[in-house]
Amino acid sequence: MLAALLFLGTWPAVLTLLERRGRLPQHTYLDYSITNLLAAVIIALTFGQIGDSKPGMPNFLTQLKQDNWPSILFAMAGGIVLSLGNLSTQYAWAYVGLSVTEVITASITVVIADNKEKLSGSSKNYKNNTWSEADKDLNKDVIKKDNVNDLENGNVYAVRSLTKVEGARAGTADFLIELENRRSIKVLGSSTLIGLGIVFFAGVCFSLFSPAFNLATNDQWHTLKQGVPHLVVYTAFFYFSVSCFVLAIILNIYFLYHPILGIPKSSFSKYLNDWNGRHWALLAGFLCGFGNGFQFMGGQAAGYAAADAVQALPLVSTFWGICLFGEYRRSSKKTYVLLVSMLTMFIVAVGVLMGSSGHRKTM
């Protein structure tokens, strides 16, 4: 469960890292989807072949031959809604930030107001999603500093002034503007309601995948024929991940040629040749795949009351958002007070959730 918590809270930060470096989200998600499925295959062929802990339950390969299609469809439905949720959040991060996306109701107002205040005092003439003619020319002249690296940018990119090269300090208005020039999803001047709507859609999807997985493994609606064993966690997770993969491939290949939210058009050949950051995207897929798998396995081994601990994953994502991307950096004292209050209340809420789960029947 601790591994699941760490992995599921970290993979969003990895995808955010690539988007902020300018890699197209379609390319990133296609890479991510490959290793996300591979993680499920590895779990199925290792842990799944050992068999379920309950006596008489078949292993993974045996279950592939059984007539258990109703449970398979429930598992695949769970994978579809999870895939839609994960895909949506990849776009939402750009609009409202990693921290806000994960714990949206507590900090959406804080971040939006804080960024607007910073931009109003910018030294660059960025107003209402437009640049002055002088700054348009200035922003085209971007060079790479030699031998200077950071986690977000790989190499630091800075705007060339008439006399020297400087990179904006994280958390400043100029930093937000330079980030906008570099990233693949352009968001400054756009309505934050777009990002907010995407986040809420993703939240609805995330609320559905766990019940679907529950039905797949426990058959509460008695859809299986008499004598057919329930799907073990590993088999259900395999079908769950297959549907995630298929939907992600279909949608992202479509988005290559018909992009949304103003993202540049691409092609499958361009995707194949885009090796910039591919290893990070593949790592994110493994983290998410093993994180989901460990969550389901942990719930089976320790009880699904303990599995509710994974609901604390936004705390991990918020940590990465603050430490890696400088979210909330150079903000007001009020912002920091609200941030600490938000995280404290979230920790309490997760604790209450876990406590109440102790009275539920496990799967």
Side-chain angles (χ1 to χ4, degrees):
M1 295 309 306
L2 290 175
L5 175 63
L6 177 62
F7 291 176
L8 292 177
T10 299
W11 75 264
V14 177
L15 294 196
T16 302
L17 174 74
L18 293 176
E19 187 277 321
R20 291 165 73 103
R21 287 185 178 183
R23 195 168 197 253
L24 293 180
Q26 309 97 303
H27 294 189
T28 297
Y29 208 84
L30 284 169
D31 289 334
Y32 154 91
S33 300
I34 294 171
T35 46
N36 188 62
L37 175 63
L38 183 57
V41 173
I42 292 172
I43 289 174
L45 293 177
T46 53
F47 295 104
Q49 277 304 99
I50 299 173
D52 192 83
S53 58
K54 298 179 181 178
M57 292 299 289
N59 60 30
F60 168 67
L61 292 179
T62 300
Q63 285 213 306
L64 293 180
K65 306 172 185 177
Q66 293 176 341
D67 185 11
N68 45 27
W69 275 104
S71 293
I72 291 174
L73 293 177
F74 280 125
M76 297 184 77
I80 288 173
V81 291
L82 179 66
S83 184
L84 287 173
N86 285 343
L87 180 60
S88 299
T89 55
Q90 183 180 215
Y91 293 92
W93 295 324
Y95 281 88
V96 294
L98 183 60
S99 304
V100 178
T101 301
E102 300 300 324
V103 200
I104 185 169
T105 55
S107 59
I108 179 67
T109 305
V110 176
V111 174
I112 293 172
D114 205 56
N115 283 348
K116 284 185 177 180
E117 183 177 352
K118 291 175 182 176
L119 288 172
S120 66
S122 171
S123 62
K124 295 182 173 61
N125 298 320
Y126 188 92
K127 302 293 182 184
N128 300 321
N129 205 28
T130 59
W131 297 94
S132 68
E133 290 301 318
D135 280 328
K136 283 181 181 179
D137 294 334
L138 179 66
N139 291 328
K140 290 178 182 178
D141 192 13
V142 177
I143 66 170
K144 183 184 297 184
K145 285 184 179 180
D146 293 329
N147 303 319
V148 181
N149 295 292
D150 69 7
L151 285 175
E152 181 179 339
N153 306 321
N155 290 307
V156 173
Y157 287 82
V159 179
R160 185 195 299 272
S161 67
L162 294 177
T163 58
K164 59 182 178 179
V165 176
E166 292 184 343
R169 300 178 67 184
T172 64
D174 291 350
F175 173 81
L176 295 175
I177 294 172
E178 290 183 10
L179 174 62
E180 177 79 357
N181 289 335
R182 184 173 59 245
R183 71 188 318 162
S184 60
I185 304 176
K186 307 300 182 183
V187 296
L188 289 186
S190 301
S191 172
T192 52
L193 292 177
I194 297 175
L196 189 59
I198 296 172
V199 171
F200 278 118
F201 172 75
V204 171
C205 292
F206 290 149
S207 71
L208 296 175
F209 85 86
S210 185
F213 195 89
N214 193 342
L215 288 168
T217 53
N218 292 315
D219 191 35
Q220 291 95 331
W221 291 353
H222 308 291
T223 57
L224 291 175
K225 294 180 180 179
Q226 187 69 26
V228 177
H230 294 177
L231 287 184
V232 296
V233 169
Y234 314 105
T235 309
F237 182 54
F238 170 76
Y239 286 114
F240 176 93
S241 300
V242 166
S243 63
C244 270
F245 174 79
V246 172
L247 182 65
I249 294 299
I250 293 173
L251 288 180
N252 281 281
I253 289 180
Y254 176 82
F255 289 154
L256 287 175
Y257 299 94
H258 306 279
I260 59 177
L261 302 176
I263 297 172
K265 183 181 294 186
S266 184
S267 66
F268 193 70
S269 61
K270 290 181 179 178
Y271 156 69
L272 292 176
N273 292 321
D274 181 10
W275 289 93
N276 181 28
R278 172 160 287 163
H279 58 293
W280 287 109
L282 296 174
L283 173 63
F286 273 125
L287 289 174
C288 184
F290 280 109
N292 285 327
F294 288 165
Q295 177 185 359
F296 296 135
M297 291 162 60
Q300 181 187 44
Y304 281 84
D308 285 329
V310 172
Q311 300 304 320
L313 67 90
L315 299 177
V316 180
S317 296
T318 301
F319 170 82
W320 288 121
I322 294 172
C323 294
L324 185 60
F325 304 127
E327 293 182 358
Y328 304 103
R329 193 172 298 174
R330 305 184 195 287
S331 298
S332 65
K333 290 183 179 180
K334 179 181 178 181
T335 298
Y336 293 130
V337 170
L338 291 174
L339 176 63
V340 172
S341 300
M342 173 195 74
L343 297 178
T344 301
M345 288 186 285
F346 193 83
I347 293 171
V348 172
V350 171
V352 172
L353 176 63
M354 292 177 63
S356 66
S357 299
H359 300 287
R360 302 176 193 169
K361 292 181 179 179
T362 58
M363 292 184 183

